[in-house]
Amino acid sequence: MPASDLLAATADLVAIPSESHAEGPIVDHVEARLRALPHLTVERVGLNLVARTQLGRSTRVLLAGHTDTVPANGNAEARIDGDVLWGLGSADMKGGLAVMLTLAETVPDPAVDVTYVFYAGEEVAAEHNGLAHLVRHRPDLLAADVAILGEPTGGEVEAGCQGTLRIEVTLRGQRAHTARPWMGRNAIHRLGELLRLVEGFEARRPVIQGCEYREALQAVVVSGGVAGNVVPDLTSVTLNRRFAPDRTEAEAADEVRALLAPVLEDGDDLTVVDSAPAAAPGLDNPILRSLIDRHQLAVTAKLCWTDVARFAALGVPACNLGPGDATLAHTADERVDRASLDRAHQVLHAVLTTPPN
Amino acid sequence: MPASDLLAATADLVAIPSESHAEGPIVDHVEARLRALPHLTVERVGLNLVARTQLGRSTRVLLAGHTDTVPANGNAEARIDGDVLWGLGSADMKGGLAVMLTLAETVPDPAVDVTYVFYAGEEVAAEHNGLAHLVRHRPDLLAADVAILGEPTGGEVEAGCQGTLRIEVTLRGQRAHTARPWMGRNAIHRLGELLRLVEGFEARRPVIQGCEYREALQAVVVSGGVAGNVVPDLTSVTLNRRFAPDRTEAEAADEVRALLAPVLEDGDDLTVVDSAPAAAPGLDNPILRSLIDRHQLAVTAKLCWTDVARFAALGVPACNLGPGDATLAHTADERVDRASLDRAHQVLHAVLTTPPN
């Protein structure tokens, strides 16, 4: 089924460095290849590319992938050894980009309309995320019936994603000399009870559309203190809650507020500093459903937040499905093998060429 | 009894600015006055002055005071209003210095040998402390049977002082993504149990030579965290223990180690980062005893660490006794009144002019 050597095609992309904030050359490369295809309408928005068929099909499938990588870690150079390609970005996610480009170049007359999205800035702070940029400025380009992101999933389906929110809690006390602590109140000591409540958080494991999610509440940063001889009057702790798609951001925050209410007092503060919604698995979508059934794909719940939530927020069911092993991403041993690339290509080729029911 | 107007004498000293690290002018002023007195042998060691009688008496009494002040707080100018002197350093401790200088100038033939010590750098980090400098380089100048520091005590006796030590405890965990915290171990969560133990510390209140001390253990600084989406593998907390004179530094540290042992594991760390010994009240010293009895002075245990511990470490019993209210020290409303100065002068004059038993 592969129209080309996907391992070599991926190596060509790994050979173009594209660390976040320096995606220019790879975007230019991809843009030139897309513009050479007469069946695609290409738009460039900053460092993001959207290429679409306009065939008037009843259904539109969107395939998306990010062009940037994390910084190199002694693995900048692409190296093919047998059927394995080693190198930065091979799994996360130039393998997925190679599959997308191959489909764009070899399927000029798909059974569904197709939108290919190549976006920058996924590996860095959300403010730099190219998909977020498109959502804000050109949501029309993202219209689709279903979206599939090519992040490494070993060719299986990772459905939806959990939401995430960060809450900063500030506890107050009263300063005093540490030789006379009874004249004040130690804010850091108050942390003890708060952390006990955090540890006692009931991490739910709801099953939604057959996917088991698994929530979490973790203290991620703590700070406090005035001087070595002062009873501290202030301490703060940042908590990160991961929540399943059966909770809104507001509900998830309220549950943390309720959990901590027993230790919070007048003068304390609890602020949501950062929040992103969960995405439902979207497995009731007929295209995702038939894709899973036809290829007998494994489906797991995505516990981390991913860009699929941006599509879910637009009303577009989305999942992750791409070649490569996610646990190798961001490691010096990052690699992808030929079978994984071919398998992802086979599945996505079928999505594009099978008329929807 | 006062040989001069002590309020005016104190005002003269307040009029010479002497913030820590800028004591030069006041040291020059005091040195000139001391060198004008033929009954005193004066030595200058850096910014520290030691002036001694050499009368061959059986007993030597040392009077000590620091020449520096904290930074001004809108109160740099001396202002006399009736019998009250307002201004930076009036209580802490130019009132005490004025009493010492007056005694030096008016008691040329004391019943005991006298050592007057004027030292710099008391209000800043220990490394700048002039008394510590003398202890290290000229301990011979500090030889005495008893030492009285003129810190503000309202003219009463503050006996000995508690020791202080700081311990930094590092707790380790294992990093993981916060969406999969069960893959790691949260070091900050471990703090909860440690802080519970710290709060449960039994703060002893031992009575020593009639003085009740009161111990304390307080968390003073806490920090930890890697990133908003990472289960932290490291956190540290600094504890400050204040301990009574019936404990050595080593014993005090060992008791904290024993308290925390239930939560410490391989890979954790507990380090004493800073330590200063306690000083026994020294109330069995005959000069201190008769001074207290003769003037019916109140005696309280000193809970903070003070320079009396430096004398105790040299084997010289020491206490604080000086004019002014310690709670006004370091405030914008710092002041001293005439009665307090006269009272301190009266007590110390008696010490110098009464033959010891």
Side-chain angles (χ1 to χ4, degrees), chain A residues 20-339:
Chain A
S20 307
H21 307 304
E23 298 96 336
I26 202 167
V27 175
D28 292 343
H29 170 88
V30 172
E31 182 179 10
R33 287 173 63 175
L34 293 172
R35 289 204 188 274
L37 303 171
H39 63 283
L40 294 178
T41 305
V42 180
E43 297 213 42
R44 178 166 175 157
V45 182
L47 286 172
N48 311 297
L49 297 167
V50 181
R52 292 176 295 170
T53 62
Q54 308 273 18
L55 302 169
R57 305 288 194 239
S58 62
T59 297
R60 178 173 289 278
V61 173
L62 185 151
L63 303 181
H66 63 84
T67 51
D68 62 325
T69 71
V70 296
N73 186 8
N75 60 353
E77 202 144 326
R79 177 170 61 84
I80 293 179
D81 183 5
D83 284 326
V84 178
L85 166 68
W86 300 72
L88 175 65
S90 53
D92 188 12
M93 56 166 280
K94 291 182 175 177
L97 299 185
V99 170
M100 286 168 64
L101 281 167
T102 299
L103 291 169
E105 289 170 338
T106 60
V107 186
D109 188 36
V112 293
D113 268 312
V114 189
T115 301
Y116 299 95
V117 177
F118 298 83
Y119 64 101
E122 193 269 348
E123 298 287 9
V124 284
E127 63 187 302
H128 304 296
N129 187 291
L131 193 59
H133 186 78
L134 290 172
V135 167
R136 218 162 30 241
H137 299 289
R138 293 298 305 276
D140 59 298
L141 294 178
L142 302 179
D145 296 292
V146 66
I148 301 172
L149 277 78
E151 293 273 1
T153 65
E156 309 295 348
V157 169
E158 289 185 345
C161 74
Q162 292 196 128
T164 179
L165 60 84
R166 265 170 283 274
I167 288 179
E168 185 173 343
V169 182
T170 302
L171 301 178
R172 296 200 177 269
Q174 194 186 334
R175 285 192 200 188
H177 196 291
T178 48
R180 291 181 290 272
W182 53 89
M183 306 287 285
R185 186 174 185 211
N186 194 312
I188 293 176
H189 289 194
R190 295 185 58 206
L191 265 185
E193 177 68 2
L194 182 142
L195 291 172
R196 207 182 58 77
L197 293 176
V198 169
E199 280 226 299
F201 174 73
E202 188 207 334
R204 298 183 316 122
R205 298 172 74 154
V207 175
I208 301 170
Q209 295 178 1
C211 291
E212 187 188 60
Y213 290 86
R214 188 167 176 180
E215 299 198 327
L217 181 66
Q218 293 285 306
V220 290
V221 180
V222 65
S223 67
V226 176
N229 60 352
V230 177
V231 173
D233 59 349
L234 195 69
T235 188
S236 75
V237 60
T238 303
L239 307 174
N240 182 205
R241 179 176 179 191
R242 304 290 174 149
F243 54 97
D246 60 349
R247 290 288 185 273
T248 65
E249 292 164 89
E251 289 166 347
D254 283 345
E255 287 174 354
V256 177
R257 279 190 195 93
L259 176 76
L260 303 184
V263 299
L264 298 184
E265 303 176 2
D266 283 353
D268 293 340
D269 185 58
L270 186 156
T271 301
V272 176
V273 291
D274 185 13
S275 174
L283 299 179
D284 47 357
N285 175 270
I287 294 174
L288 288 184
R289 193 70 262 163
S290 70
L291 170 155
I292 292 163
D293 293 344
R294 187 183 317 123
H295 299 278
Q296 300 194 303
L297 299 183
V299 179
T300 55
K302 188 67 178 173
L303 302 183
C304 303
W305 194 89
T306 81
D307 279 333
V308 300
R310 302 191 196 276
F311 287 105
L314 291 175
V316 181
C319 71
N320 278 304
L321 190 170
D325 179 348
T327 65
L328 296 172
H330 305 196
T331 73
D333 289 335
E334 185 172 356
R335 59 189 183 270
V336 69
D337 63 33
R338 186 184 303 277

Side-chain angles (χ1 to χ4, degrees), chain B residues 281-318:
Chain B
L283 299 179
D284 46 356
N285 176 269
I287 294 174
L288 287 184
R289 192 70 261 163
S290 70
L291 171 154
I292 292 163
D293 294 343
R294 186 183 315 124
H295 300 277
Q296 299 193 304
L297 300 182
V299 179
T300 55
K302 188 68 177 171
L303 302 183
C304 303
W305 194 88
T306 81
D307 277 334
V308 301
R310 301 191 197 277
F311 287 105
L314 290 175
V316 181

Side-chain angles (χ1 to χ4, degrees), chain B residues 248-273:
Chain B
T248 65
E249 294 165 89
E251 288 167 348
D254 283 345
E255 287 174 354
V256 177
R257 278 190 196 94
L259 176 75
L260 303 184
V263 299
L264 298 184
E265 303 175 4
D266 284 354
D268 293 340
D269 186 58
L270 186 157
T271 302
V272 175
V273 291

Side-chain angles (χ1 to χ4, degrees), chain B residues 113-132:
Chain B
D113 267 314
V114 188
T115 301
Y116 298 95
V117 177
F118 298 83
Y119 64 100
E122 193 269 347
E123 299 288 9
V124 285
E127 63 187 301
H128 304 295
N129 187 291
L131 193 59

